Amino acid sequence: MDYEKFYASRVSIMRPSDIRELLKWSLDKSVISFAGGLPDPKLLPKSFELEGCFEYLMAKNEYAFQYGETEGVGELKKEVVRFSKKYGNIDANENQVIITTGSQQALDIISRLFIDKGDYVIVELPTYLAALQVFNLSEPRYVGIQMDEKGMRTDILEDKLRELKSNGILPKFVYTVPTCQNPSGTSMSIDRRKHLLELASKYDFLIVEDDPYGYITFGDEKVERIKAMDKEGRVIYLSTFSKIFSPGLRVGWVIASEELIRSIAIAKQGMDLSTSPVSQYIALFAMEKGIIEKRIPIIVGEYKKKRDVMLQSLESYMPSETRWTKPIGGMFIFVWLKDMLDTKLMLEKAIKNYKVSYVPGRSFFIDGSGRNTMRLNFSYPSEEQIREGIRRLSNLIKEEYGSTS
Ligand SMILES: Cc1ncc(COP(=O)(O)O)c(C=O)c1O
């Protein structure tokens, strides 16, 4: 059967994600995978934590197993408001919250709501691949902004905005993952967060603050959410239970102005009517019982150990002329090799000969740069696998350096 003629033209824009393809490799037990973005399987919910959850769901039977409101379960929205204030310093009321089917759905909704073909959207270099996948379907024009160890270079952003404005162009929004970014692991400094907000006000655009990792930072210093400083309702804030409880639930949330929440709800209605009420009630159970607040420090402790092991291993094994980020939390470290290397071309050898995998960085860059970069995940592999995997990867890189010098 030739299905091609049936497909809509937008299907030609859909690309399988390199990461999804690569995830298959983590099934081969002899390959140490730094490729996925999965939480540590040992930190998924335990049966003792969920004891009583089934009875709880049955007691809420007529809500949990019924169709739900598009905006989400009211009690869960209340919990999100409390949690966001306590851990994110974000002031919001329940009408400024909508529960989504993971943050990924929120990104899809944002793409549909705000991007007309040819609109300008500003992203970081590199940026979250699955955000690009959904934005691409609306066919925007991207402007990429370089990052350094303090996150997005807002000075470069300002130059770009001035240039765009002189051509009569206003971007719709800036998409940023300001804390422990996927893929780079970098966090934006407070000064740049403030600068970004000032620019949004001056050049009249929205900010999409995607924050799945802000609740798993390793130090004592609090990371100020851009949303917490937003006085004009310009920030659309996204977060999720995926990294602090379970990605299998598929429950995330958006905090934005009431007006925007209403538009988001209308878009969401046509997509899935509502996020699974069963999943929402499981999240509510975990919030009400304090399960999530108890497990956050445990996740932080485990991931911090793993980050340290990965940093130490990189330090011990990697050849010179290789550099990497030092994340303050999250799940990823980003590595730069010598300029002339192409990590995509190296991947097959990495998997077949060295039994280690990673994500080649190129697809995270909308400008085609980043050929010599790779993303390493430290949350999924064990400490032992991290040590051994980095040793193997370093041997591959040394071999590649040898053949290029
Ligand atoms: C930056 C970023 N945004 C969104 C998501 C999607 O999260 P969710 O599981 O809530 O859909 C992820 C998941 O890895 C992510 O890294």
Side-chain angles (χ1 to χ4, degrees), residues 101-104 107 128 175 177 182 210 212-213 240 242-243 250:
T101 302
S103 294
Q104 194 58 39
L107 293 169
Y128 174 51
Y175 170 69
V177 185
N182 178 2
D210 188 2
Y213 306 104
T240 177
S242 289
K243 318 295 176 180
R250 310 307 304 130

Side-chain angles (χ1 to χ4, degrees), residues 26-86:
S26 43
L27 298 175
D28 174 352
K29 293 284 180 229
S30 68
V31 175
I32 296 177
S33 175
F34 297 133
L38 306 184
D40 186 335
K42 290 202 279 308
L43 294 172
L44 294 175
K46 298 276 186 292
S47 59
F48 77 87
E49 290 174 303
L50 293 182
E51 211 168 286
C53 186
F54 186 69
E55 289 71 19
Y56 179 88
L57 290 176
M58 292 320 289
K60 307 265 186 192
N61 190 314
E62 62 182 303
Y63 304 108
F65 293 98
Q66 187 54 282
Y67 283 114
E69 272 184 61
T70 303
E71 287 81 356
V73 169
E75 296 144 287
L76 183 60
K77 291 199 290 174
K78 263 195 201 119
E79 283 295 325
V80 164
V81 166
R82 185 189 60 79
F83 182 85
S84 306
K85 177 67 195 165
K86 183 167 172 190

Side-chain angles (χ1 to χ4, degrees), residues 99-282:
I99 305 295
T100 54
T101 302
S103 294
Q104 194 58 39
Q105 183 184 46
L107 293 169
D108 192 1
I109 293 172
I110 284 164
S111 173
R112 294 172 195 225
L113 271 186
F114 298 111
I115 311 173
D116 279 319
K117 186 174 176 175
D119 278 347
Y120 281 77
V121 166
I122 298 184
V123 297
E124 292 162 323
L125 289 170
T127 191
Y128 174 51
L129 187 58
L132 292 179
Q133 275 185 314
V134 278
F135 296 163
N136 285 348
L137 292 177
S138 302
E139 301 183 63
R141 274 182 260 216
Y142 291 112
V143 176
I145 306 295
Q146 282 82 11
M147 299 174 77
D148 62 16
E149 70 283 357
K150 291 184 187 155
M152 183 195 291
R153 289 273 307 271
T154 51
D155 56 330
I156 297 179
L157 172 66
E158 187 163 15
D159 291 344
K160 284 271 177 359
L161 289 166
R162 215 178 284 124
E163 191 186 312
L164 288 173
K165 195 171 180 193
S166 69
N167 292 315
I169 296 162
L170 289 176
K172 284 285 177 74
F173 61 83
V174 168
Y175 170 69
T176 175
V177 185
T179 309
C180 312
Q181 197 222 31
N182 178 2
S184 71
T186 310
S187 296
M188 198 189 289
S189 69
I190 180 77
D191 289 347
R192 290 201 188 159
R193 288 171 195 241
K194 287 181 183 159
H195 191 201
L196 177 58
L197 267 174
E198 280 163 26
L199 293 173
S201 188
K202 183 169 171 195
Y203 290 92
D204 197 16
F205 57 83
L206 297 173
I207 298 170
V208 177
E209 180 180 21
D210 188 2
D211 187 33
Y213 306 104
Y215 302 98
I216 39 176
T217 54
F218 307 150
D220 295 331
E221 72 285 353
K222 281 225 159 177
V223 182
E224 189 73 339
R225 298 336 190 246
I226 302 172
K227 183 68 195 165
M229 300 183 281
D230 173 25
K231 298 207 168 60
E232 298 178 359
R234 289 189 180 274
V235 180
I236 304 173
Y237 175 85
L238 279 48
S239 195
T240 177
F241 290 106
S242 289
K243 318 295 176 180
I244 52 175
F245 187 52
S246 156
L249 275 190
R250 310 307 304 130
V251 181
W253 65 88
V254 176
I255 302 178
S257 71
E258 291 188 27
E259 252 175 288
L260 284 178
I261 293 295
R262 275 196 293 277
S263 307
I264 292 170
I266 292 167
K268 179 175 163 66
Q269 214 162 29
M271 293 167 81
D272 64 356
L273 303 181
S274 87
T275 295
S276 156
V278 173
S279 281
Q280 291 188 65
Y281 275 102
I282 296 173

Side-chain angles (χ1 to χ4, degrees), residues 212-353:
Y213 306 104
Y215 302 98
I216 39 176
T217 54
F218 307 150
D220 295 331
E221 72 285 353
K222 281 225 159 177
V223 182
E224 189 73 339
R225 298 336 190 246
I226 302 172
K227 183 68 195 165
M229 300 183 281
D230 173 25
K231 298 207 168 60
E232 298 178 359
R234 289 189 180 274
V235 180
I236 304 173
Y237 175 85
L238 279 48
S239 195
T240 177
F241 290 106
S242 289
K243 318 295 176 180
I244 52 175
F245 187 52
S246 156
L249 275 190
R250 310 307 304 130
V251 181
W253 65 88
V254 176
I255 302 178
S257 71
E258 291 188 27
E259 252 175 288
L260 284 178
I261 293 295
R262 275 196 293 277
S263 307
I264 292 170
I266 292 167
K268 179 175 163 66
Q269 214 162 29
M271 293 167 81
D272 64 356
L273 303 181
S274 87
T275 295
S276 156
V278 173
S279 281
Q280 291 188 65
Y281 275 102
I282 296 173
L284 180 60
F285 176 86
M287 285 294 247
E288 283 178 348
K289 300 262 182 243
I291 295 166
I292 292 177
E293 286 176 68
K294 264 188 231 141
R295 63 183 10 257
I296 286 177
I298 297 169
I299 295 172
V300 164
E302 287 302 311
Y303 288 3
K304 182 175 186 300
K305 272 195 279 177
K306 290 184 173 196
R307 178 214 48 188
D308 289 344
V309 170
M310 189 172 269
L311 287 176
Q312 281 153 14
S313 307
L314 286 163
E315 205 60 63
S316 311
Y317 296 124
M318 280 289 166
S320 55
E321 294 188 72
T322 311
R323 62 189 177 88
W324 51 88
T325 53
K326 298 178 179 62
I328 59 161
M331 300 184 173
F332 304 105
I333 290 177
F334 208 64
V335 179
W336 286 261
L337 308 184
K338 276 186 184 175
D339 279 347
M340 69 280 272
L341 289 185
D342 186 329
T343 53
K344 199 163 187 173
L345 298 179
M346 286 162 51
L347 185 61
E348 198 177 327
K349 198 193 249 183
I351 292 168
K352 289 198 177 137
N353 300 4

